[in-house]
Amino acid sequence: MQGIAEKLEWIQLSLGYFLPELLLCVSVIFLLLASLFSKAKERATDAFALTFFIGAFVLSLLQYSEVSSTIPLFSGMLQLNNFSTHLKILIDLAAILTVLLSYSQKERKGEYYALIATATLGAHLLVMSSNLVMAFLALELISLPSYALAAFGFQKKSMEAALKYFLFGSVASAIMLYGMSMLYGQTLTLDFASSTFRQAIFDNQNYFLVISVCFVLVGFLFKMSSAPVHPWAPDVYEASTTPVVAFFSVVPKLAGLGILIHFIQALNLGGYSSIRWYVIISLIAILTLIIGNFAALLQKNPKRMMAYSSIAQSGFLLIGAITLNEQGIAVMLYYATAFLLANYLVFWYIAYFEEQTVVEIADYAGVGKTQPFASIMLLIGLISLTGLPPTAGFMAKLFIFSSLWTAYEDSQAIIYMMLFVVGLLNTVVSLFFYLKIPYQAFLKAESRTLTIKKSILVNLFGIIVVIMLLVLFFMPSSLMGWLNRINFAL
Amino acid sequence: MSQALLLNLLFFLLGLPLVSAMLAQFISEKYRWLNPLIAVFLLLLTTITGISICVAQWNEAPVLLEHTWFSLGNYTITAGFYINNVTLVMVSVVSFISLMVHLFSSGYMAGDRFEKSYYTMLGFFTFCMLGLVLANNILLLFIFWELVGFSSYTLIGHWREKAIAAKAAGKAFVINRIADLGFIAAILILYTQTNSFSLTEVTQLTNEFWRNAAAISLLIAVMGKSAQVPFFNWLPSAMEGPTPVSALIHAATMVVAGIFLLIRMFPLFSPEALDIVVIVGSITALLGALAALHQYDIKKILAYSTISQLGLMLAAVGSGAYGVALLHLFTHAFFKAGLFLSAGAIIHVLHQAQHTAHVHFDVQDIRNLGGLKKMMPITLVCFAICSAALSGFPMLSGFQSKDAILVSLFNWSGNSWRLIFTWTVVVSFVLTIVYSVRMLWYIFFATAKKTSLLRVSEAPGILRIPIILLSLCSLWFVVSVHPLEYNGWLLNSIQPAKHYLFITWLSMILIPTLSVIAWWWYKSKELSRVYPVLKNGFYLDRVYDKAGKNTVLTLAYTAKKSDQGIDGFIHVLAYAQVTFAHLLAWFDKWIIDGGVNGIAWMARQTGALARSFSGGKIQTYIFWTTFTLIIFLFWILF
Amino acid sequence: MQAYLLSLLLIIPLAGALVTLAMPSTSKQFRTIALAISLLQVIVLLLVFSHYSTQQNGLQLIELKPWITLDMGAWGILKANYFLAVDGLSLPLVALSVIVILIAVISSWKIEKSPKGYFALLLILNAAVIGTFCAQDFLLFYLFFEFMLLPMFFLIGIWGGVKREYASIKFFLYTLLGSIFILIVMIALYLSTQSIGDGELIIHSFSLVDMQDVNNIISNSILDPQRNVSILGMSARTWAFILLFIGFGIKLPMIPLHTWLPDAHVEAPTPISVLLAALLLKIGGYGLLRITYPIFPDIALELSWLVALFGVVSIIYGGLAAMASKDLKRLIAYSSVSHMGFVLLGVASVTPEGSAGAIYQMVSHGIISTMLFLLVGVLYDRTHDRMIGNYSGLSTKMPVYFTFTLIAFFASLGLPGLSGFMAELMVFLGAFKSGSTNYLLHESFAIVATFGLVLGAIYYLWTLQRMFFGKFHVKSGINNNLADVDLREKIMLIPLLLITITLGIFPQLLLDFINPFAEAFSSSILESGKTLRALLQR
């Protein structure tokens, strides 16, 4: 055991690398207090929240230059590397976008942002975790505010959804905890980045290990809303407010993905593992892709549809995790970025139309004629999610599938080819449902007249994101080049 | 003649009818009377040019004028003119007959609603026909070959409101198209083997197999265009077009393009292939004559007669005497055009008369005619001369050419199995006499039937001039000065034929005798019943409808069905996808409620918590998730 | 100037689209802008022609700008270029596009339903089509290729007929499925292709020129013939060829992947049918000639008989299906299927004649099908009915219309002297010659294909007979006060007619461009195909 002095030294050393998280801690407290004491004006709260998240974003960004290799923090509870930094940046970006998206939210702003900040903090910690207990704590730190956020519609439906979410989440956590304890039994350490852990894994390549790892994965996959632990997502998405859904569809997903990759990377033993973990992940990815895409086909509610879409997208993200090499991870991060932008663009306009009482997909009939600009923006977002040129989504899919192809080329494992084919064919399937809204908007006649509330802010945001999506297509090197220069040694 | 002058004259020759065709389109409705005038004038120029070229180039060495057209791969294809005596004969015939028909049309078609397009297509046809005979290569020849078919299509269908005419036009084109596949096949073979289209080069193909294949393929094309068995049925239907058109296209010029092609490509035909040509020709000659004997419609009689005569020409080529075939082509052009135009004059006059008398019957049906002898004496004389020429009466050109055919066929057959076909031809000669007499008798000499209701007078002068000219050209001197000699200016310069005086004398005696017998026969009895099988041209139409058209239509509807099948398959796929989606959604949501109702029920019983929200879904979610996980683990592990 | 001509061809319509979008939707000038753009493109096209040399073989007017250069670590460097150029294959098709789009704009003159969106989409489509024909980089090609889908989807789906939604979705899904197949091969290809670089790293190139060079195959990659990877019993290269073939076959369309076409055509408005038939179908043939055959010559030699078989089946089946169609537009759509079958047959022959014929057929069919669809449009504008059985004796009522239809039909059924015949003849010559020169196809392919000519004659003449001949009559309920072709329609039809006749009589005008490509194409396929097969056997 470490002595107290040693621990203090750790803390002292680590704090310098912990600034974004500290800022998030401060923001949680500040936002709560602000709402308690000053009854601050809504716009002021928005501004504070925005400032904090931008601050966290900038601080995370700065960590890029500081970190060249993996740095253990807090006695090895956390570890900071460029991979987690990038995910943190994306998470912060998502938080900023959520704040912007929550612009029209009226009630309990302070608490609301505090919850978001807490979840963001949890996500930060989760992607940095290198210890199973830490991972568990971070995961719960995301989960608990999420349950509360799910209830933020303040309707019976959202309460019910929140409760479902909570119950499902607790079971997932329980299973994960059980898996962790089993893993501890075998390795006698919780620090999965340590050499002890690796040695123990190397010595115990057996079915028991597989079972315990699968149990642990349940928790991570739950956060990613991957099959088979996805069923909570549609109910929750449908019942929650749109900004919260947008947040749910990105932040916990990226956080779960981060820890999953870290964890599997550790288990893979640099390729010396005799258990082929990539087969398990591939199977999960195939299952997730099929369930997500096919189940989305029949949805009539845009948010429910987007829930399945996000399930499907986590399938694509998992493809990035399968190759387990630097290139695969860089590509996955590219995909995550493209997904984040397009996803927010879509939710942004779903919220925009929701305000005009366009709630179900059928309600979109004819809006393409009355509100062509907004409809085109929505269309571009959906195209990017489908993965058609000239949007970032296409490049992302191209890279993802290229990475899968190279993996196949190297290993000749048929599972990769299966995943490749399933993934691409699912792209066609996904077009069915992604086109549903534009189909209604442009091809159907208007069924009723809407009161149009034009918002410059919304469209400004739309244009910026669309430009980014286009830039990521036409100049993929703008991001990919950067990602490639970063050392992703985990 | 210098080459430059010749080239200019040739362009002039080809250009004039084309100009005539185009001008017809541009003359406004107000000056429509100009149409025939201009057309006749330009055609007159064409004829003069054609005949002067013919005279100037006659018996000169063949001339080849060509220019690069396009290149395929490494091979350059030229386009140009190839002129020898055969070409010159054809040029004169085509331009002269065309002139006659134009002249005739100016009276016959006066006042027609679509006169413009009539003259356009007539001019265009003349251009294409001249192009066909002048072409230096087989591709160019084929292009014109098809274009004359196109002209024939539009001209048969000239009376647009007549549905039956459109049908006949389509039939003519499609049957010719089918036969033309042979032409295309020949082109493919010749090009592949010789890398050229040039007439002079492709005929030098040496590979025995491909040479025969090309020859047979060409023969198929010829059988289509020249209406031979089994493709002849389009020609009788083509009579739905205006009569001058029938005279020009379906008697004197277009249909003989097949014979012309055989003559042009003669070196390609091996003796065996030539035998087949004779067989086809002689059978057609017989069948055509038989069918002609059993028609009531004047134009149909003439059409079947044309089929029969074309068969004779084919037989002549097959016997090796292509010069003789050309001779018959030459004489036939005049007397058959004369016959058609005479028939046209009769039809025209009767129509006019019907119009004033308000009596209506089919003026083309010989059962309705008769007694025109007195009413139209000049037409009678011309018609009689031409039909006598057709039946081979001495002193007329038909006698000379037929004599030559017989001689060459007997030469060809010797004492072998081939005699069967030679005798077939002889029989068809006899039948020709019979149907010529029958036609002449019933139109002019029999007692007037429905015609007696009409006041009929001689055809107007504009119609008479071409008929008279054509019947004059059916006299012996167009062939040679000596009325029994066929080796006149034409054959001597192309392919002199041997004589066999016995045959000549025999036919000189027999033909008039047979004519008199036939005359007596028809005079003595009423119009006999006809055999339906012959009247309907051996039911070839019906066979084609049954075997060809119905099969194709069935196939077409099968294709349509199978398309629906493919679509159905796609739909099934789509439905399957949607169903699968349903299944998943159902599984995701409802199987939980339905499949594990008991558990849900238990949950409702036990957990108070569950009662607050619908159906205890969350427990079942968790149940299923755990269940899946366990399944998953089992799958991975075992 | 010369260096940017091709870009100019693309930028002009895109700029036009932007201008259109920026204008208020109440404006009436959209069509004027579109027309001006098209005319401008014609001028640029003339400049392109003036800078193109027919003496020279290979790509000309090359524009090569680096687009994406990505260092992908272990994979090597990924390189895609903005690479535009034209050669004997591209230039005729680019010229065709410019002409047909001009006609389509004139034909759209009376569009009244939201003209702003319509013309904006038309202009985007314009750029995408021309881009597809000019791009010499696979990624760029794919970009343009996909870029056509959405505008087309909306153009059919919004401005189409009664069943437009079904038709547009069907079109979109079919084509997207095809493009996914192409995408799979594209990924495999660029990862297996290197461009010669100076560094140690492998440069993965998207350039089609690089991909066509046998020496650029990365050894030990999946598409390396020497490694001979087998997937489900077939070699990876065979799979790639088949996927590309299917992908472009859908576009072509080839039996049995064609069922989107009749629906799309029938439902699309006239100008869109024109674009679809005249240009979009050509991309299938273009893809085969530009990508499938040159990149996989070894498999091409092996499977040409299959390609030809599909071609022949398309020719015959399309003709039969056309015969059974009751809707005039559907009939013409099926005739397109039949005529595009000739392209397959021509390409499969791998002879100079056949490949030249395939290109010639693409151009000729582009012109002729434009005429045909415009003519259907003329009738549809007046009566809003396209059923063949509802008309009779139109020729007496609309003589000028009849004349145009007559010539267009005969052009389509391959009357000599018109462009269609020349094209089909060359295809036949090529396919037949293949049997005795490179032994890829048996002679019977060409012979069976000739029956397509008969079928064409049958269904067109039957249609003429039913619709145009006989006593004038239209089914009750249909407007029977039919005006003949007006000036605007003549302006569209007459140039097309003249082009058809000119190309039918003077094939060298086009062959000057096509021949060098066709010769190089067939000889290089044979050569490198043999080289690759030799590698495989070693």
Side-chain angles (χ1 to χ4, degrees), chain A residues 106-117:
Chain A
K106 292 282 183 296
E107 290 169 281
R108 306 202 201 169
K109 275 260 161 117
E111 294 165 42
Y112 174 72
Y113 287 135
L115 287 171
I116 287 181

Side-chain angles (χ1 to χ4, degrees), chain A residues 448-468:
Chain A
R448 60 200 174 118
T449 45
L450 303 167
T451 44
I452 301 170
K453 294 180 203 156
K454 277 208 170 142
S455 163
I456 295 173
L457 186 71
V458 171
N459 289 338
L460 189 68
F461 168 78
I463 288 176
I464 292 171
V465 174
V466 165
I467 288 174
M468 284 163 86

